[in-house]
Amino acid sequence: MLSHSITLGRVAAIPIRLHWSWAVIFGLLIVALRPVYAFYACDGAVVCGADVGLAVAMAVLVGVSVLLHELGHALVAGRLAVPVQSITLFAFGGVAEVDHDAPGPGAEFAIAVAGPAVSLLIAAGAGLFAWLAPRADGPLALAALVAGHLAAANAIMGVFNLLPGYPMDGGRVLRATLWYLGDELLPATRATAQIGRACGALLGLGGLAVGVLSRQPVAAVWAALVGLFLFRTASGSYRQAVLQSVLDGVSVGDLMQRRFRTVSRELTLEQFVARYVLGQAETGFAVVEPADDAAEPALIGMMTLRNMRRFTTVQWSLKQVGEAMTPIGQVRTLSPQLPAFDALFLLSESPDGLLPVADGPRLVGILRRRDLAVFIQVQLARRRQ
Ligand SMILES: [Zn+2]
């Protein structure tokens, strides 16, 4: 989802990444905050330098706050055997990427609570400083002003994230609770994802209305985008949870095609088209050696219609499959033991919608996106009865 990110560094061995959209929010924050600080720091001037400095400092502090919130999730997750792959800051906040769900409702609850807890702790600390600092003029008063804003930003972040819609933190807390009470993950995900969609719709439409009425077009657009993002993420999370439950315990070996046609590398492209492509349903084939009916064919590459594009029809009679195929070094192969849910993701990235299944060098099957889709449809139909 968040490609086009740069890695800033690592905290507790977790790569910290910045998505380009964060820069947009960073810029908007500075533009919005600068006049506020000019009022306090510029002695009546419209622009000085202190206002820009304070606005930049505040925007950086907001970024650090988001990062600390995500680190709160990540550090607790790491302790509960759910390692975090990376943390990315983007336009709508931060996201910690994990490979798999929490092992149980208790872990899910603890991981979800940790982020808002960090935000609310920062809000309390900064708020206390703002309250205790003397109200006189000078740098300390400005620091107290910044601390007050930081407290407000973190309080909003903490409370907003505790809204009970999945995949927000509050939604995860609620899901963990329902999961614990009902002992089933899928109904808990369904309920909290519905609330998440409602939160997204309300927030998007409500924010848009308030923004338009108060003539804040940027805030209106941002609120609408956040709402849309939440709505879509909630819908996607539920679909993902359904797929995960349907494919639970199913491996690539269970769904792959065990009977498949293979191609020899010596075939000319013309022969390949005539024998394998025209009038046939399949569009991708494993290239094996020794050819065809050998007992232990070793996979040496994949040949699909896309591989033909580099050649003109004149070349078809001269070039062989071995020259046109994608060689094994560039082919992603699946192991028969791989969970089908993981294969679904890999297949969605494969341009041909199929991947060879190999046990060591030995080709044992072909898994097509279609095979997974049919299995999922059948399982879903069964559940409806
Ligand atoms: Zn969070």
Side-chain angles (χ1 to χ4, degrees):
M1 171 177 79
L2 292 170
S3 44
H4 307 294
S5 302
I6 51 161
T7 303
L8 288 184
R10 284 164 186 272
V11 178
I14 302 165
I16 308 298
R17 295 153 61 81
L18 266 191
H19 185 244
W20 64 267
S21 63
W22 175 258
V24 176
I25 293 302
F26 188 76
L28 284 176
L29 266 179
I30 294 171
V31 170
L33 288 169
R34 194 208 53 77
V36 178
Y37 291 122
F39 178 79
Y40 293 99
C42 290
D43 274 331
V46 182
V47 188
C48 49
D51 55 347
V52 179
L54 285 169
V56 170
M58 189 62 210
V60 170
L61 283 172
V62 168
V64 171
S65 300
V66 174
L67 178 60
L68 290 173
H69 173 111
E70 293 306 325
L71 277 172
H73 290 304
L75 296 182
V76 173
R79 285 185 159 253
L80 296 170
V82 188
V84 171
Q85 300 306 318
S86 67
I87 290 175
T88 309
L89 300 191
F90 72 119
F92 309 135
V95 57
E97 251 167 85
V98 287
D99 275 348
H100 53 87
D101 273 337
E108 164 121 334
F109 189 95
I111 296 168
V113 156
V118 169
S119 297
L120 294 176
L121 272 177
I122 300 174
L128 196 66
F129 176 82
W131 186 55
L132 291 177
R135 310 272 150 156
D137 286 343
L140 200 56
L142 285 178
L145 180 71
V146 169
H149 289 170
L150 185 64
N154 276 280
I156 292 170
M157 216 184 294
V159 171
F160 173 79
N161 274 294
L162 284 173
L163 287 176
Y166 191 84
M168 279 180 290
D169 298 332
R172 288 175 194 272
V173 168
L174 180 61
R175 181 171 87 147
T177 311
L178 296 176
W179 183 6
Y180 176 74
L181 293 175
D183 206 26
E184 257 193 290
L185 181 58
L186 194 60
T189 307
R190 187 210 310 264
T192 47
Q194 293 289 22
I195 303 173
R197 281 155 58 102
C199 285
L202 275 176
L203 195 91
L205 296 174
L208 188 66
V210 171
V212 167
L213 290 176
S214 59
R215 301 204 181 150
Q216 302 266 4
V218 177
V221 169
W222 190 70
L225 289 177
V226 171
L228 185 67
F229 172 75
L230 282 178
F231 187 87
R232 291 187 51 176
T233 314
S235 309
S237 310
Y238 179 60
R239 272 199 302 274
Q240 174 138 342
V242 170
L243 288 178
Q244 219 156 3
S245 83
V246 164
L247 295 175
D248 188 33
V250 182
S251 69
V252 165
D254 299 328
L255 301 181
M256 68 186 186
Q257 298 287 328
R258 288 169 190 276
R259 295 167 61 86
F260 47 87
R261 295 175 76 196
T262 56
V263 182
S264 146
R265 73 183 325 162
E266 281 92 34
L267 227 56
T268 66
L269 297 185
E270 204 160 57
Q271 289 167 322
F272 171 70
V273 170
R275 291 187 206 166
Y276 288 84
V277 178
L278 294 177
Q280 309 289 327
E282 300 300 329
T283 52
F285 302 89
V287 186
V288 294
E289 210 168 44
D292 244 337
D293 39 322
E296 299 258 296
L299 180 67
I300 58 168
M302 286 297 286
M303 183 69 195
T304 69
L305 285 180
R306 276 186 320 112
N307 295 96
M308 304 285 296
R309 287 195 202 142
R310 285 189 288 133
F311 303 95
T312 61
T313 40
V314 179
Q315 291 174 303
W316 282 11
S317 58
L318 305 168
K319 297 287 180 187
Q320 293 181 330
V321 165
E323 299 166 83
M325 68 180 188
T326 309
I328 181 72
Q330 296 166 27
V331 175
R332 166 117 225 173
T333 59
L334 304 173
S335 131
Q337 289 85 30
L338 185 78
F341 185 72
D342 296 349
L344 189 64
F345 176 71
L346 295 172
L347 274 172
S348 71
E349 288 189 326
S350 149
D352 303 306
L354 84 172
L355 289 172
V357 185
D359 201 358
R362 198 167 63 91
L363 178 70
V364 292
I366 298 276
L367 185 70
R368 305 170 305 178
R369 209 176 307 168
R370 219 181 320 154
D371 304 326
L372 274 166
V374 168
F375 179 80
I376 290 165
Q377 295 297 336
V378 170
Q379 293 301 315
L380 290 178
R382 243 182 222 160
R383 284 184 182 199
R384 259 179 241 121
Q385 285 161 12

